[in-house]
Amino acid sequence: MLRIRHFFLICSGAHLPLLRRAPAETNKYAGIGATIFFTGLFAAIAAGYALWTVFRNPWAAVGFALLWGLMIFNLDRYIVSSLKKRDRFGKELWMAVPRLLLAVMIAVVISKPLELKIFEREILAELTLMEQEQRQAEDSLVRGAFTSRKAELATRMNALQSQISVQTTRVDTLQLRAQQEADGTGGSRVKNLGPIYKAKKADADSATAALQSLQAQRAALTGEIQAEDDSLAARLTALERHKPDGMASRLEALGRITGKSAPIQWANWFIMLLFIALETAPVLVKLISPRGPYDDLLDQHEFAFAMHRKEKKAILEMQTDARIRKAEEETAYV
């Protein structure tokens, strides 16, 4: 336990020789150091999971997690150690504001990957819906490129079908008249294959040829329509389907499910507020805690250093003035 406490005291950024002279403060700074350590640990876990969702590489995820965790740990340690107790609370609060804002920003960055992990099942379900919507949008875009051409072909087919219907009726009528002329049931009422029958037969044959031409045009147009359908099917098959599974897609899915569900939205906020509380806890503890013996010893140490620096500066100024006077006297003598 002593080793663990010593480790947490190192994490707190306190000056250990001075802290040994104020043993009553060790528990407070050990708690601050533990909070800083676990904040860095949570940051490492969040960064590792975030990088895993991007690259799916365990070595890269572990390496980046350690680097990010150490950076957050060092930053938190600096934020707390640089906040010193003053005689006036207002001045302490003013000095703590930028540190608190930085701590809040770090907490938001840390909490977001862990939120993605906590709501992973809901996010995966939403990603499936997003994938279906993306496919429908891509299909609609491709189909839209063929819409005008298919509409033109459909218009031509309808007009051609109407002509074929009219021509079919005409052929049937002309063939019936030629047949009635041949068997004497119609026309001249004379059963013969004379000039009148031949004329009516020629009209029926001409109409039949025109009908066959229209049917050939319909077959060709049907081939064009089938070619367009085959081309559309080929374009749809050739589409590259990308499954939304990256960090940005998961963040978008999280935003969508929080917008749809109030309980998830509240849970999301509570998770973020929890990490903000953890991240700002060391600064707040240092800010609201009363001034203790360690702070007095630290002030004395800093004051002694400042006085020593002034003393050295004064000695250097005196030596400089002495050298200048000596140089002036030598110059005047010459």
Side-chain angles (χ1 to χ4, degrees), residues 166-182 196-210:
V166 173
Q167 190 65 21
T168 300
T169 303
R170 185 169 179 271
V171 168
D172 292 341
T173 301
L174 292 176
Q175 287 180 346
L176 179 61
R177 289 177 181 177
Q179 182 64 33
Q180 290 174 345
E181 186 66 36
I196 297 177
Y197 165 76
K198 292 180 180 180
K200 291 183 177 181
K201 178 64 175 174
D203 290 340
D205 292 342
S206 176
T208 301

Side-chain angles (χ1 to χ4, degrees), residues 32-54:
I32 293 174
T35 306
I36 294 173
F37 171 77
F38 285 112
T39 302
L41 181 62
F42 285 138
I45 295 173
Y49 175 72
L51 200 69
W52 168 255
T53 59
V54 176

Side-chain angles (χ1 to χ4, degrees), residues 254-321:
L254 179 61
R256 290 177 54 159
I257 62 176
T258 53
K260 296 177 183 177
S261 175
I264 294 180
Q265 185 176 11
W266 279 107
N268 187 31
W269 275 104
F270 282 138
I271 292 171
M272 185 182 299
L273 291 175
L274 174 62
F275 278 94
I276 290 176
L278 290 175
E279 182 66 31
T280 57
V283 179
L284 292 176
V285 169
K286 191 99 179 260
L287 185 64
I288 64 177
S289 61
R291 185 181 178 88
Y294 172 78
D295 301 303
D296 292 336
L297 292 172
L298 186 60
D299 279 350
Q300 294 174 14
H301 179 74
E302 291 179 349
F303 181 77
F305 174 79
M307 293 299 100
H308 178 72
R309 185 178 60 181
K310 288 182 179 180
E311 182 181 353
K312 294 290 292 184
K313 184 178 179 181
I315 292 173
L316 289 175
E317 289 178 351
M318 292 174 59
Q319 292 175 351
T320 302
D321 292 340

Side-chain angles (χ1 to χ4, degrees), residues 93-222:
L93 181 61
W94 177 253
M95 295 296 294
V97 166
R99 293 166 173 81
L100 288 172
L101 293 176
L102 183 59
V104 170
M105 184 181 67
I106 294 173
V108 173
V109 174
I110 292 174
S111 65
K112 195 56 64 177
L114 294 179
E115 291 172 15
L116 297 179
K117 184 60 178 177
I118 293 172
F119 300 109
E120 186 175 14
R121 292 185 178 180
E122 292 79 6
I123 289 173
L124 291 177
E126 190 66 28
L127 287 176
T128 302
L129 295 177
M130 291 171 58
E131 182 180 5
Q132 294 175 355
E133 293 174 0
Q134 181 179 353
R135 289 188 176 184
Q136 291 176 359
E138 291 175 351
D139 291 349
S140 299
L141 185 62
V142 173
R143 292 180 188 277
F146 289 82
T147 300
S148 59
R149 176 61 177 166
K150 292 190 70 175
E152 178 186 353
L153 293 176
T155 302
R156 288 173 55 189
M157 178 60 77
N158 292 333
L160 192 58
Q161 193 65 41
S162 299
Q163 294 178 16
I164 289 175
S165 298
V166 173
Q167 190 65 21
T168 300
T169 303
R170 185 169 179 271
V171 168
D172 292 341
T173 301
L174 292 176
Q175 287 180 346
L176 179 61
R177 289 177 181 177
Q179 182 64 33
Q180 290 174 345
E181 186 66 36
D183 58 19
T185 57
S188 62
R189 300 290 180 176
V190 178
K191 185 178 181 179
N192 65 80
L193 300 176
I196 297 177
Y197 165 76
K198 292 180 180 180
K200 291 183 177 181
K201 178 64 175 174
D203 290 340
D205 292 342
S206 176
T208 301
L211 177 61
Q212 292 175 350
S213 176
L214 291 174
Q215 290 174 342
Q217 294 179 27
R218 183 178 63 181
L221 188 58
T222 302

Side-chain angles (χ1 to χ4, degrees), residues 4-63:
I4 295 175
R5 188 177 67 174
H6 182 73
F7 172 73
F8 287 152
L9 290 176
I10 295 174
C11 295
S12 68
H15 191 265
L16 297 185
L18 291 179
L19 193 59
R20 292 191 188 98
R21 297 168 58 186
E25 298 279 277
T26 54
N27 289 332
K28 179 178 74 173
Y29 283 93
I32 293 174
T35 306
I36 294 173
F37 171 77
F38 285 112
T39 302
L41 181 62
F42 285 138
I45 295 173
Y49 175 72
L51 200 69
W52 168 255
T53 59
V54 176
F55 296 106
R56 301 291 180 180
N57 188 322
W59 296 108
V62 171

